[in-house]
Amino acid sequence: MNSPVVIPDHVRLKSAPLGGERLALLQKTIERNRFLPVPPQEENFVGDGDYLAIGTEFLGHFVDLGGLREDERVLDIGCGIGRMAVPLTQYLDPEDGQYTGLDPAPAGIHWSAQHIGSVYPNFRFMHLDIANELYNPNGRIRGTDLSLPFDSGSFDFAIMTSVVTHLPANEIEPYFREISRLLEPGGRLFVSAFIMEPESQRNADLTPRIRFHRSPEGPSWHADKAAPLAAVAFDDGFLDTTLHRTGFDVALKKLGHWRGQTGSRHYQDFFVAVKSSRGQGA
């Protein structure tokens, strides 16, 4: 599925997001801006690759695929050390746009608040003491009991990049349900994931960068049996069904090139889900 996200007419944007050429120019300008904050490499715990380049790439996906507007209220679940936030400082309107980042790792929240939030007052960062055996094993909040300290309908756009790739299956629905509650009807959730669709499992010609092994009970697949949450994939259809059950309509599903499939511009698989009027999480 490679069509762009379709926003329902009743929530049609007042002004369209940036067109292709303007968006590309903005991305190039951000990557060349040597004054933007970038954490020292030894403090960057959010993965390999160029910090600013990857964040800038995702800004393009949020705008191009998710229809993110400059005046929207953004919730970034698992914001890490601000990799998505830094490029967004150059896109979100300082008066009308807002950003809230949450993460279980206090070091990332501290750095982001000090180097991003102190300069951009419409950006705030909050420590979420949720238990995760990989990032916060002693967290006091269980993932199945997720409850965020915001009113219903507080956000227009939610981000979960490289989050469900580190969650057990039984925590996916609580996350989606709580995000559904926090989004306005018509709000969008952008998710990156690893999807084990049957065709790629059968195709011996594909050479994935990560090799997953299915857990006996499913629907999870793990790359490292010794550290299951280091990289988690799910049976095709699991995330789609869970999104629908929690009040979302899947507007876009695009496969990435992690599985060896050519022709994709992004590594992980992408979903853009729109909160429907039937949103059960509201």
Side-chain angles (χ1 to χ4, degrees), residues 95-145:
E95 299 295 330
D96 299 320
Q98 298 177 16
Y99 170 98
T100 301
L102 306 175
D103 201 87
I109 293 297
H110 176 75
W111 185 93
S112 299
Q114 182 179 12
H115 296 277
I116 304 172
S118 63
V119 181
Y120 301 93
N122 58 327
F123 278 66
R124 59 176 174 167
F125 299 87
M126 301 172 59
H127 177 235
L128 178 65
D129 194 21
I130 191 164
N132 181 280
E133 67 181 52
L134 195 64
Y135 292 107
N136 193 31
N138 298 316
R140 62 180 179 83
I141 305 170
R142 294 186 304 175
T144 52
D145 298 330

Side-chain angles (χ1 to χ4, degrees), residues 17-18 23 26 30 59 62-63 67-76 84-101 116 119-125 155-159 188:
L18 293 180
L23 178 57
L26 173 62
I30 292 172
L59 170 62
F62 300 152
V63 176
L68 177 63
R69 287 201 331 256
E70 297 148 304
D71 62 351
E72 292 194 296
R73 301 163 297 170
V74 176
L75 176 65
D76 188 358
M84 302 297 139
V86 170
L88 282 167
T89 63
Q90 307 302 295
Y91 179 72
L92 291 179
D93 185 278
E95 299 295 330
D96 299 320
Q98 298 177 16
Y99 170 98
T100 301
I116 304 172
V119 181
Y120 301 93
N122 58 327
F123 278 66
R124 59 176 174 167
F125 299 87
F155 299 94
D156 307 296
F157 194 91
I159 298 168
R188 284 90 67 221

Side-chain angles (χ1 to χ4, degrees), residues 2-278:
N2 294 304
S3 58
V5 62
V6 177
I7 305 298
D9 287 340
H10 69 280
V11 289
R12 183 64 59 187
L13 308 180
K14 293 180 181 178
S15 57
L18 293 180
E21 291 186 5
R22 291 179 61 204
L23 178 57
L25 178 60
L26 173 62
Q27 290 177 286
K28 185 178 295 185
T29 301
I30 292 172
E31 286 197 54
R32 292 177 175 176
N33 188 342
R34 60 189 179 89
F35 297 105
L36 292 175
V38 173
Q41 187 58 42
E42 63 272 15
E43 296 182 28
N44 182 11
F45 59 88
V46 294
D48 299 331
D50 186 286
Y51 174 93
L52 190 56
I54 292 174
T56 304
E57 174 194 335
F58 271 89
L59 170 62
H61 297 318
F62 300 152
V63 176
D64 184 40
L65 303 179
L68 177 63
R69 287 201 331 256
E70 297 148 304
D71 62 351
E72 292 194 296
R73 301 163 297 170
V74 176
L75 176 65
D76 188 358
I77 303 286
C79 65
I81 196 166
R83 185 165 62 175
M84 302 297 139
V86 170
L88 282 167
T89 63
Q90 307 302 295
Y91 179 72
L92 291 179
D93 185 278
E95 299 295 330
D96 299 320
Q98 298 177 16
Y99 170 98
T100 301
L102 306 175
D103 201 87
I109 293 297
H110 176 75
W111 185 93
S112 299
Q114 182 179 12
H115 296 277
I116 304 172
S118 63
V119 181
Y120 301 93
N122 58 327
F123 278 66
R124 59 176 174 167
F125 299 87
M126 301 172 59
H127 177 235
L128 178 65
D129 194 21
I130 191 164
N132 181 280
E133 67 181 52
L134 195 64
Y135 292 107
N136 193 31
N138 298 316
R140 62 180 179 83
I141 305 170
R142 294 186 304 175
T144 52
D145 298 330
L146 180 68
S147 178
L148 299 176
F150 308 109
D151 293 335
S152 299
S154 295
F155 299 94
D156 307 296
F157 194 91
I159 298 168
M160 292 183 77
T161 56
S162 296
V163 175
V164 303
T165 55
H166 302 296
L167 291 180
N170 66 334
E171 293 185 15
I172 301 298
E173 183 163 335
Y175 269 86
F176 286 175
R177 191 171 298 279
E178 182 67 351
I179 292 170
S180 178
R181 178 184 72 83
L182 296 177
L183 286 174
E184 288 274 14
R188 284 90 67 221
L189 168 59
F190 187 104
V191 179
S192 70
F194 294 120
I195 302 302
M196 297 301 295
E197 34 97 38
E199 183 178 350
S200 65
Q201 295 175 40
R202 294 192 299 265
N203 193 337
D205 294 332
L206 299 180
T207 54
R209 286 180 57 184
I210 304 179
R211 292 191 178 275
F212 289 100
H213 305 277
R214 195 174 193 272
S215 62
E217 65 278 8
S220 301
W221 297 65
H222 303 117
D224 186 347
K225 294 180 181 179
L229 296 189
V232 184
F234 294 102
D235 288 340
D236 190 22
F238 171 73
L239 294 178
D240 316 56
T241 301
T242 307
L243 284 164
H244 187 267
R245 189 163 57 238
T246 52
F248 289 98
D249 293 322
V250 175
L252 175 143
K253 181 178 179 181
K254 293 190 62 161
L255 300 182
H257 60 72
W258 70 269
R259 58 175 52 74
Q261 182 170 310
T262 59
S264 175
R265 294 188 298 118
H266 47 86
Y267 177 63
Q268 292 184 357
D269 306 318
F270 289 168
F271 288 81
V272 176
V274 180
K275 180 179 176 179
S276 68
S277 57
R278 59 178 168 78

